[in-house]
Amino acid sequence: MKDIVETLQAGAGKQFINLSAGNPLILPEVEQLWRDCTTELLASSEYGEVVCRYGSSQGYAYLIETIASDFNRRYGLDLNNNNILITPGSQSLYFCAANAFGGLTTNGGIKQIVLPLSPDYTGYGGICLFQDALVAYKPTLDVEEEAHTFKYRPDFSQLSITERTGCIIFSRPSNPTGNILTDNEVGKITALASPYNIPVLIDSAYAPPFPALNYTDMKPVFGDNVIHCMSLSKVGLPGERIGIAIGSSRLIQVLESFQTNLCIHSSRYGQAIAANAISSGALANISEQFIRPFYQKKFTMLEDSLNSAMPKNLPWFLHRGEGAIFAWLWFKDLPITDYQLYQQLKKVGLIVVPGSTFFPGLREEWQHKQQCLRISLTGSNEEIAKGMKLLAAVVQTVYQLSS
Amino acid sequence: MKDIVETLQAGAGKQFINLSAGNPLILPEVEQLWRDCTTELLASSEYGEVVCRYGSSQGYAYLIETIASDFNRRYGLDLNNNNILITPGSQSLYFCAANAFGGLTTNGGIKQIVLPLSPDYTGYGGICLFQDALVAYKPTLDVEEEAHTFKYRPDFSQLSITERTGCIIFSRPSNPTGNILTDNEVGKITALASPYNIPVLIDSAYAPPFPALNYTDMKPVFGDNVIHCMSLSKVGLPGERIGIAIGSSRLIQVLESFQTNLCIHSSRYGQAIAANAISSGALANISEQFIRPFYQKKFTMLEDSLNSAMPKNLPWFLHRGEGAIFAWLWFKDLPITDYQLYQQLKKVGLIVVPGSTFFPGLREEWQHKQQCLRISLTGSNEEIAKGMKLLAAVVQTVYQLSS
């Protein structure tokens, strides 16, 4: 959000507790892994072939083979190289999919890009050259009043998947909410899409086997019309922009052709070091041993801080922390907008992200859209504890003033 | 071209002279430069910030500053950071420009992407989601019959730049022809575009200061409606996909916003090592001392081979070798198509690229489109000499059979 960047830049002197970041922290073990892989690449004669030559649009062959064999072993699949595409980050994968499967058709019609559960990743908002093609659906809410927690559910009574649907996209675990759609919910969505051969892109940027930022059990879902989409941005390679698509060769071929026109191929240094880290098993290990526990502890810490700081009598609800690196808070009947709340928090030195930016494609009015905040788990324990106290104080005043 | 890839893969046993490649050779001095820069990056604490963190959409700040100061010094410009954008390869830069400035407009009209001189880079063919928006213009030909050489010129009597034009793109030096549009020709094009504020993208992938693959004097052209577009693919970093756009902040801002939605930002390892190589002056030096002489000698060699092998009485014409890493041959009144010629050459073990693939956007019939070949300068001296002899023999037979 532009205002956050400007606030942080302008307030160089001022100390903010910044819990807005989507930029993961650099964990020392993770950086060391990539340094070691780079040293190995430099020592090898392969370096020139990787960096100094064009490659294939599909991606670096050794990385593709490595992923195929890792996933076949891990999940009992039968993938071959034609089932995998490497993209320059997963954002560009969604861009390709949105415009190859969705958007304007050659005969002037529109194929929708459907987000079955809103809120979802804000970056989906800009992936289609035809903004009108993006359509998101309001969820239902499972609320546990006493526990001050809730969980979003897809509203299957509303979700409409038809021959006018181009593709379906959702993140699992979800940025911003930390929600993990159940196997059953995912199964229902893919079943709705299947009769029309509609690709279902499951954004697994936080899923196992890496970065494994799931705090409840989950299994990746594969299938004939499923494109399992991964990112290496949460395992320490955000700078290198590596996205991975796994799906039927029919769908992968479409995306690959689009990608050739878009950018020829993804950059290869990151692909080469990733291939080594996946092949040795180090990437999955480091995810389970360092990355997941690190953020899971942060979430528990934040939850505890909130529970002790927030008044029991106010209608605040923390989304169940099932995964990802954010906490998502809903303030029912909030007397001001999320953006106004963001501004008030800024005044006391706390920066979080107003929730209304996470409802791309949801055009209908819904007060809930202006009642949420996304809080990053990238802060230190002290920052999180102090931040939640500041938040509690401001929120209390806001509700009191209106009553 | 798909047939070339399949031929080379299928003919694993067979020895082809492959003069089709667009993939530059790895020059040892160039690979060593990138290895040294990588060692330096690894030794620095900056490594984690480069690889393990998201960056800004605009690009790696140090690279941007370095380019601004290098170009200001070198060309007497007044660039600041807002005039520069780093893209994941220059293909993606043209994709962004074609769809941001050209293509379908919000009110349903079409803005054209104009290629003022066809033939030009085949990759422009796929950059716009609306293929009809791409419009190329037939050139005029300066032919020197005696010398068996020719040069393309933009046909200003035909070139139409209007309020319906979204942007203009051409390569200079040109892939595939090696043509360098004169300062005067470029000036005329930018002057036609200026009244409508139409961006003119000058694809400088082969231009000075790096890779400096110009064999006649040329100066890069800058200007208010000019976007000077560079690539590091011909200075040994094709694997890392680095494109650079230099232009007015107004145009750069449009491209940057598009890029945010497309891919967040370019990968950063390549940007970081490039920043070091540009800042030290090594990149420009190595371009002038190794890259340019290497390919210039290849061109002279090819020219000499052709002159001694090709019959004087046949109407073959070599495009003036003003730059880039290809030779472009025109066979006037060729009795067969370029694709048939390609097939015949394949039979005798020579692979080149049929010229007809380099006329994207030129829809009108023109026999010339089926009378050309692109020959890569990436072959060894022996391959080039032998290849030109094979070519001469086949071409001679082809003309004889028809007469």
Side-chain angles (χ1 to χ4, degrees):
Chain A
M1 234 186 72
K2 208 165 161 236
D3 185 75
I4 294 177
V5 176
E6 287 168 1
T7 300
L8 291 170
Q9 280 171 351
K14 192 167 175 185
Q15 278 302 316
F16 284 107
I17 296 178
N18 179 11
L19 300 181
S20 72
N23 213 338
L25 293 167
I26 304 181
L27 304 188
E29 298 81 4
V30 177
E31 178 176 337
Q32 194 55 50
L33 169 66
W34 297 123
R35 283 179 167 273
D36 293 345
C37 290
T38 305
T39 304
E40 202 179 316
L41 177 64
L42 260 182
S44 126
S45 60
E46 183 73 357
Y47 177 84
E49 285 301 319
V50 166
V51 168
C52 306
R53 302 278 285 173
Y54 285 103
S56 90
S57 286
Q58 198 195 347
Y60 180 54
Y62 178 46
L63 175 60
I64 290 172
E65 288 156 19
T66 300
I67 293 169
S69 78
D70 183 274
F71 273 62
N72 286 343
R73 191 180 39 72
R74 206 179 281 279
Y75 300 114
L77 302 173
D78 188 28
L79 303 174
N80 63 49
N81 295 355
N82 296 330
N83 298 121
I84 297 171
L85 175 71
I86 311 299
T87 65
S90 57
Q91 177 76 20
S92 108
L93 168 49
Y94 305 123
F95 183 95
C96 286
N99 294 289
F101 301 126
L104 217 70
T105 62
T106 40
N107 59 20
I110 280 185
K111 287 264 193 185
Q112 293 180 337
I113 296 116
V114 168
L115 311 183
L117 191 163
S118 186
D120 209 331
Y121 175 50
T122 187
Y124 302 149
I127 51 176
C128 188
L129 292 193
F130 300 91
Q131 289 246 293
D132 290 352
L134 191 75
V135 176
Y137 286 88
K138 229 169 84 172
T140 60
L141 279 68
D142 270 7
V143 183
E144 297 189 61
E145 303 272 351
E146 279 297 297
H148 288 271
T149 64
F150 78 114
K151 177 176 165 70
Y152 291 119
R153 302 281 186 190
D155 185 351
F156 288 102
S157 73
Q158 298 298 316
L159 182 60
S160 166
I161 305 295
T162 69
E163 69 286 345
R164 291 184 55 228
T165 309
C167 63
I168 299 171
I169 308 181
F170 55 86
S171 58
R172 179 177 188 256
S174 158
N175 170 2
T177 66
N179 192 24
I180 295 180
L181 268 74
T182 64
D183 288 354
N184 185 33
E185 288 165 344
V186 175
K188 275 191 188 171
I189 293 170
T190 56
L192 286 170
S194 177
Y196 306 100
N197 271 319
I198 296 166
V200 179
L201 290 100
I202 306 184
D203 178 349
S204 308
Y206 298 91
F210 31 82
L213 282 162
N214 58 308
Y215 314 132
T216 56
D217 261 354
M218 73 167 280
K219 270 208 310 274
V221 175
F222 304 91
D224 188 50
N225 62 327
V226 169
I227 304 178
H228 181 75
C229 305
M230 298 161 66
S231 159
L232 300 187
S233 294
K234 276 75 196 182
V235 286
L237 285 187
E240 288 314 296
R241 319 299 312 121
I242 301 176
I244 301 164
I246 302 180
S248 70
S249 58
R250 165 183 67 91
L251 298 175
I252 292 297
Q253 182 56 54
V254 172
L255 294 172
E256 183 185 341
S257 299
F258 196 103
Q259 173 156 295
T260 305
N261 287 322
L262 179 71
C263 64
I264 305 183
H265 65 76
S266 308
S267 62
R268 284 157 60 88
Y269 154 75
Q271 294 188 64
I273 59 174
N276 281 344
I278 294 170
S279 149
S280 69
L283 199 58
N285 286 344
I286 220 165
S287 296
E288 288 192 12
Q289 288 171 22
F290 293 97
I291 301 177
R292 179 194 284 155
F294 180 86
Y295 287 105
Q296 187 164 15
K297 275 183 208 145
K298 293 280 179 196
F299 186 84
T300 308
M301 226 242 100
L302 181 140
E303 201 173 19
D304 294 345
S305 303
L306 272 178
N307 279 327
S308 60
M310 291 288 281
K312 282 281 167 211
N313 62 334
L314 289 185
W316 64 273
F317 300 95
L318 176 65
H319 195 286
R320 273 193 226 159
E322 300 175 329
I325 62 171
F326 308 102
W328 178 259
L329 266 173
W330 168 42
F331 300 99
K332 195 179 166 190
D333 304 325
L334 185 69
I336 59 176
T337 68
D338 62 324
Y339 193 76
Q340 289 166 328
L341 179 56
Y342 155 79
Q343 292 289 359
Q344 295 210 16
L345 293 169
K346 219 168 75 173
K347 277 189 204 144
V348 300
L350 173 64
I351 301 196
V352 297
V353 185
S356 51
T357 50
F358 296 95
F359 294 85
L362 187 65
R363 276 174 278 276
E364 67 184 288
E365 280 308 308
W366 184 32
Q367 286 204 329
H368 187 93
K369 290 202 281 187
Q370 280 85 42
Q371 297 177 339
C372 300
L373 295 177
R374 189 190 79 173
I375 301 168
S376 171
L377 300 176
T378 57
S380 68
N381 289 354
E382 295 66 34
E383 286 175 318
I384 290 177
K386 196 168 166 208
M388 293 312 97
K389 276 187 196 149
L390 291 170
L391 174 66
V394 169
V395 164
Q396 200 155 9
T397 316
V398 164
Y399 276 103
Q400 270 170 357
L401 281 176
S402 84
S403 65
Chain B
M1 234 185 71
K2 209 166 160 235
D3 185 74
I4 294 177
V5 176
E6 287 168 1
T7 301
L8 291 169
Q9 280 171 351
K14 192 167 174 185
Q15 278 302 316
F16 284 108
I17 295 178
N18 179 11
L19 300 181
S20 72
N23 213 338
L25 293 167
I26 303 180
L27 305 188
E29 299 81 4
V30 176
E31 178 176 337
Q32 194 54 51
L33 168 66
W34 297 123
R35 283 179 167 273
D36 293 346
C37 290
T38 305
T39 304
E40 202 179 316
L41 177 64
L42 260 182
S44 126
S45 61
E46 183 73 357
Y47 177 84
E49 285 300 319
V50 166
V51 168
C52 306
R53 302 278 285 174
Y54 284 103
S56 91
S57 286
Q58 198 194 346
Y60 180 54
Y62 178 46
L63 175 60
I64 290 172
E65 287 156 19
T66 301
I67 293 169
S69 79
D70 183 274
F71 273 61
N72 285 343
R73 191 180 39 72
R74 205 179 281 279
Y75 301 114
L77 301 173
D78 189 28
L79 303 174
N80 63 49
N81 295 355
N82 296 330
N83 298 121
I84 297 172
L85 176 72
I86 311 299
T87 65
S90 56
Q91 177 76 21
S92 107
L93 168 49
Y94 306 122
F95 184 94
C96 286
N99 294 290
F101 301 126
L104 218 69
T105 63
T106 40
N107 58 20
I110 281 185
K111 287 265 194 185
Q112 292 180 337
I113 296 116
V114 168
L115 311 183
L117 192 164
S118 185
D120 209 332
Y121 175 50
T122 187
Y124 301 150
I127 52 177
C128 188
L129 292 193
F130 300 91
Q131 290 247 292
D132 291 352
L134 191 75
V135 176
Y137 286 88
K138 230 168 83 172
T140 60
L141 279 67
D142 270 7
V143 183
E144 297 190 61
E145 303 272 351
E146 279 297 297
H148 288 272
T149 64
F150 78 115
K151 177 176 165 70
Y152 291 118
R153 302 281 186 189
D155 185 352
F156 288 102
S157 73
Q158 298 298 317
L159 182 60
S160 165
I161 305 295
T162 69
E163 70 285 345
R164 291 183 55 227
T165 309
C167 63
I168 300 171
I169 308 181
F170 55 86
S171 58
R172 180 177 189 255
S174 158
N175 170 2
T177 66
N179 192 25
I180 295 181
L181 267 74
T182 64
D183 288 354
N184 185 33
E185 287 165 344
V186 175
K188 275 190 187 170
I189 293 170
T190 56
L192 286 170
S194 177
Y196 307 101
N197 272 319
I198 297 166
V200 179
L201 290 101
I202 306 184
D203 177 348
S204 309
Y206 298 91
F210 31 82
L213 282 163
N214 58 309
Y215 314 132
T216 56
D217 262 355
M218 73 166 281
K219 271 209 310 273
V221 175
F222 303 91
D224 188 49
N225 62 327
V226 170
I227 304 179
H228 180 76
C229 305
M230 299 161 65
S231 159
L232 300 188
S233 294
K234 276 75 197 183
V235 286
L237 285 188
E240 288 315 296
R241 320 298 313 120
I242 301 176
I244 302 164
I246 302 180
S248 70
S249 58
R250 165 183 67 90
L251 298 175
I252 292 297
Q253 182 55 54
V254 173
L255 294 172
E256 183 186 341
S257 299
F258 196 103
Q259 173 156 295
T260 305
N261 287 323
L262 179 71
C263 64
I264 306 183
H265 65 76
S266 308
S267 63
R268 285 158 59 90
Y269 154 75
Q271 294 188 64
I273 59 174
N276 281 344
I278 294 170
S279 149
S280 69
L283 199 58
N285 286 344
I286 220 165
S287 296
E288 288 192 11
Q289 288 171 22
F290 293 97
I291 301 176
R292 179 195 284 155
F294 179 86
Y295 287 105
Q296 187 164 14
K297 275 183 206 145
K298 293 279 178 195
F299 186 84
T300 308
M301 226 243 101
L302 181 141
E303 201 174 19
D304 294 345
S305 304
L306 272 178
N307 280 327
S308 59
M310 291 288 280
K312 281 282 167 210
N313 63 333
L314 289 185
W316 64 272
F317 300 95
L318 176 66
H319 195 286
R320 273 193 225 159
E322 299 176 330
I325 62 171
F326 307 102
W328 178 259
L329 267 172
W330 168 42
F331 301 98
K332 195 179 166 189
D333 304 326
L334 185 70
I336 58 176
T337 68
D338 62 324
Y339 192 76
Q340 289 166 328
L341 179 56
Y342 155 78
Q343 292 289 358
Q344 295 210 16
L345 292 169
K346 219 168 76 173
K347 277 189 202 144
V348 300
L350 173 64
I351 301 196
V352 296
V353 184
S356 51
T357 49
F358 296 95
F359 294 85
L362 187 65
R363 276 174 278 275
E364 67 184 287
E365 280 308 308
W366 184 32
Q367 286 204 330
H368 186 93
K369 290 202 282 187
Q370 280 85 41
Q371 297 177 338
C372 300
L373 295 177
R374 190 190 79 173
I375 301 168
S376 171
L377 300 176
T378 57
S380 68
N381 289 354
E382 294 66 35
E383 287 175 318
I384 290 177
K386 196 168 166 208
M388 293 312 98
K389 277 187 195 148
L390 291 170
L391 174 66
V394 168
V395 165
Q396 200 156 8
T397 316
V398 164
Y399 275 103
Q400 270 169 356
L401 281 176
S402 83
S403 66

